[in-house]
Amino acid sequence: MKTERPPQKIAGRRSAEEGQSAEEGQSAGEGQSAGGGPRRMGRPRKKPQRSALAPREQILEVAGRLFAERGVVEVSMLEIAETAGLRQSSLYYWFRRKELIVAEILQQVNRLPLSYAERLEASGEAADVQLWRFVRFDVQTVCGFPLEITEVHRFSERDPAAFATYWAERRALTEAVAAMVGRGVGEGTFRAVDAYLCALTVLAQDESVQNWYRPEGAGRVHPLAASDGAALGYRPEQIAELVADQTVGGLLALPSRLAALRQMASGEEGC
């Protein structure tokens, strides 16, 4: 189931280097630089630093956890700042809007599968083997993703510009999957299908596991899973392999090939 741009400088703000120095725990007071001159002091944290992460990464980590627990819409910038131990003004130094935080976290849902698809293409293996491995990888990625993708897609309508990179990478991912399908059709292992339409459907099906599955330890349990105890017992690997079987098995010109294909694809990867 699927590059970072530093925030632009805002007039009146300190440079990124000074901002990071401030967030790493310098507090106002007396002091001298190594050269003996007065040391420039940064703005202190609201709370003591409790993370080894740099401020920007800590913001993303904290925000991702809060979004997973309660949903994107319910979490405020003030809450993100307070949970990260930052003043709200310091949070705005790194991310001026919540949409920018969400967009940055969301990138991995495209980048990881896209990078994997590129490795598969370079492997030179048969298209059906590549697609089976891709779907398995993509579903496992989605199973571990803390944000609900459909919720984020709706949220992205608030600020299309902030999510432009995400949607561009999403198109690139769709094209990569379509290329796999097209190769399979050309090789005669897949039925004749519209490759791009198939790719759109494959990615949507991969993401559909979020309709009931949540990562282990997530703050929110989907209502379907909460009402069906059996749903909570499945592991991401089981889910991913089943979806891969369904996806590729439905495309095979010779469905009887699935068992042998699955055995090949489950073995050591050639990429």
Side-chain angles (χ1 to χ4, degrees):
M1 314 214 303
K2 290 254 213 264
T3 324
E4 287 185 6
R5 295 175 297 178
Q8 296 178 351
K9 291 184 179 179
I10 305 173
R13 298 285 189 184
R14 293 165 299 172
S15 69
E17 292 80 7
E18 291 173 302
Q20 181 160 346
S21 176
E23 298 305 349
E24 286 175 346
Q26 287 186 333
S27 59
E30 297 180 354
Q32 289 187 326
S33 67
R39 177 181 297 165
R40 180 179 235 170
M41 295 315 224
R43 187 183 308 156
R45 283 178 171 268
K46 189 171 184 179
K47 296 178 182 178
Q49 170 79 1
R50 296 181 179 177
S51 173
L53 296 174
R56 193 169 191 275
E57 285 66 40
Q58 187 182 3
I59 291 167
L60 294 171
E61 188 275 331
V62 166
R65 175 159 42 85
L66 292 173
F67 294 155
E69 290 172 354
R70 302 213 320 280
V72 173
V73 175
E74 298 299 322
V75 177
S76 69
M77 290 288 276
L78 176 60
E79 184 175 4
I80 294 171
E82 290 181 339
T83 305
L86 303 173
R87 297 186 184 278
Q88 195 168 6
S89 57
S90 297
L91 173 61
Y92 283 121
Y93 175 85
W94 296 103
F95 296 98
R96 297 187 298 279
R97 302 186 305 282
K98 183 167 64 172
E99 288 81 358
L100 297 176
I101 299 177
V102 176
E104 181 116 0
I105 295 173
L106 188 59
Q107 301 304 337
Q108 65 174 291
V109 82
N110 286 331
R111 289 176 184 165
L112 292 176
L114 182 55
S115 176
Y116 187 65
E118 292 169 351
R119 289 168 51 204
L120 287 169
E121 182 178 8
S123 73
E125 293 178 310
D128 53 359
V129 172
Q130 289 185 21
L131 186 62
W132 194 95
R133 285 179 169 164
F134 173 82
V135 172
R136 178 182 61 179
F137 179 90
D138 194 36
V139 173
Q140 286 187 272
T141 299
V142 170
C143 285
F145 192 63
L147 275 61
E148 187 174 341
I149 295 172
T150 54
E151 177 188 18
V152 175
H153 286 174
R154 293 192 300 270
F155 185 78
S156 71
E157 297 175 3
R158 295 183 175 191
D159 191 344
F163 290 84
T165 299
Y166 168 79
W167 289 115
E169 292 178 342
R170 175 66 177 227
R171 287 191 296 275
L173 180 60
T174 305
E175 290 167 359
V177 176
M180 282 186 219
V181 175
R183 286 195 298 274
V185 173
E187 293 168 1
T189 53
F190 290 161
R191 297 180 292 105
V193 295
D194 183 313
Y196 200 83
L197 175 59
C198 183
L200 289 168
T201 305
V202 166
L203 295 177
Q205 179 172 277
D206 291 356
E207 292 168 356
S208 71
V209 300
Q210 283 198 327
N211 288 338
W212 60 273
Y213 183 84
R214 291 288 187 274
E216 184 176 353
R220 294 187 298 169
V221 176
H222 193 281
L224 186 153
S227 64
D228 183 356
L232 299 176
Y234 292 104
R235 294 175 289 105
E237 307 80 54
Q238 292 176 283
I239 301 167
E241 292 188 358
L242 176 64
V243 176
D245 281 351
Q246 290 178 330
T247 299
V248 179
L251 285 171
L252 288 174
L254 293 174
S256 60
R257 172 174 161 75
L258 180 60
L261 161 64
R262 193 180 196 276
Q263 186 172 7
M264 285 188 293
S266 297
E268 185 177 351
E269 298 183 11
C271 62

